[in-house]
Amino acid sequence: GGTGAADDGSVETCPKCGGMGKVRITRQTMIGSVITTATCDMCNGTGKIVKNPCKKCRGQGHHSFKRKIKVDIPAGIHDGDRLRVSGKGDSSGRDSIRGDLYITVKVEQHPEFKRDGDDVVSEIRISFAQAALGVTVGADTLDGKEKIRIKPGTQPQTRVVLKSRGFVQLNGYRRGNHVINIMVEIPKKLSRHEKEMLADYARARKEPVG
């Protein structure tokens, strides 16, 4: 029960302070008697003496232990943010107020998505032909798969912005954007037929190659 005793009968009133937790000390000085009040050294200010201490807490009235609790993580939280859980910290015994528990949140990295504030950043890789002629591709978003239309003539590093598809503002309701960077891949190896077609294309545009 937080008394520090093994049973109720093991707690007695301190005989030195009479249960007050404090004692009066009288000192004789040149100007006469001086009376001061101090914490009782027999009961450490509790006013009680424990004759048979509890073995679990060793007479302290409290002990340490670990427990698991469920914590709600708010949407939009950032890596390194701290959460305060009221009343889940340490206690100093009976009739004391529990402290708070502070939790530092570590956000795992995603293999495809990166975070920039409340925005999500990802990339889509397309070929030279797809960039030149246009293509519709599937893109992963926080809300699932979505079809993205790549316009003909799209240049490398073109950005496609999906409005309000990013993270929810912490303690807010608005969402950031999802920014998709278009990466145009140039093939390192070409077949003979592919080389001939590209050469014909270059001649048609009067572009020197080779």
Side-chain angles (χ1 to χ4, degrees):
T3 63
D7 53 78
D8 292 338
S10 299
V11 181
E12 298 178 356
T13 300
C14 176
K16 187 172 183 177
C17 66
M20 299 299 294
K22 295 181 179 180
V23 293
R24 300 176 67 185
I25 301 173
T26 302
R27 292 184 301 160
Q28 296 296 330
T29 67
M30 295 178 62
I31 59 174
S33 298
V34 176
I35 300 175
T36 59
T37 303
T39 300
C40 179
D41 57 353
M42 181 174 286
C43 65
N44 293 321
T46 63
K48 303 291 183 180
I49 297 296
V50 178
K51 293 294 185 179
N52 183 20
C54 170
K55 293 181 180 180
K56 191 171 185 178
C57 68
R58 298 179 181 179
Q60 297 298 312
H62 58 92
H63 66 98
S64 298
F65 66 98
K66 290 184 179 181
R67 62 184 291 189
K68 286 189 176 181
I69 64 171
K70 289 186 177 180
V71 179
D72 292 328
I73 306 297
I77 198 165
H78 295 78
D79 183 63
D81 284 352
R82 293 207 310 168
L83 296 176
R84 182 173 66 90
V85 186
S86 299
K88 296 300 181 181
D90 284 343
S91 168
S92 59
R94 189 175 185 177
D95 299 328
S96 66
I97 299 176
R98 283 183 175 273
D100 298 332
L101 171 66
Y102 287 88
I103 300 174
T104 301
V105 177
K106 296 295 183 182
V107 181
E108 293 184 359
Q109 296 295 319
H110 192 275
E112 297 180 13
F113 299 151
K114 293 183 179 180
R115 186 172 184 174
D116 182 11
D118 291 327
D119 292 340
V120 176
V121 180
S122 64
E123 63 181 38
I124 291 178
R125 296 182 177 274
I126 60 176
S127 67
F128 163 78
Q130 291 172 328
L133 302 177
V135 66
T136 299
V137 296
D140 290 321
T141 71
L142 296 182
D143 302 314
K145 205 80 170 181
E146 184 163 335
K147 291 184 177 180
I148 304 296
R149 176 60 183 170
I150 307 298
K151 297 179 179 180
T154 293
Q155 302 299 307
Q157 299 296 337
T158 295
R159 303 173 70 194
V160 176
V161 178
L162 305 179
K163 295 290 187 180
S164 300
R165 297 298 182 87
F167 285 92
V168 178
Q169 291 179 346
L170 185 61
N171 299 323
Y173 61 92
R174 293 183 179 180
R175 293 181 63 177
N177 301 324
H178 187 153
V179 180
I180 302 176
N181 294 318
I182 306 301
M183 312 296 290
V184 179
E185 293 185 324
I186 306 299
K188 295 181 179 180
K189 294 183 179 180
L190 296 171
S191 66
R192 181 176 180 181
H193 180 59
E194 289 171 335
K195 290 180 180 180
E196 291 175 352
M197 288 191 298
L198 282 177
D200 291 340
Y201 166 81
R203 281 193 292 271
R205 295 182 62 88
K206 297 180 180 180
E207 296 175 351
V209 295

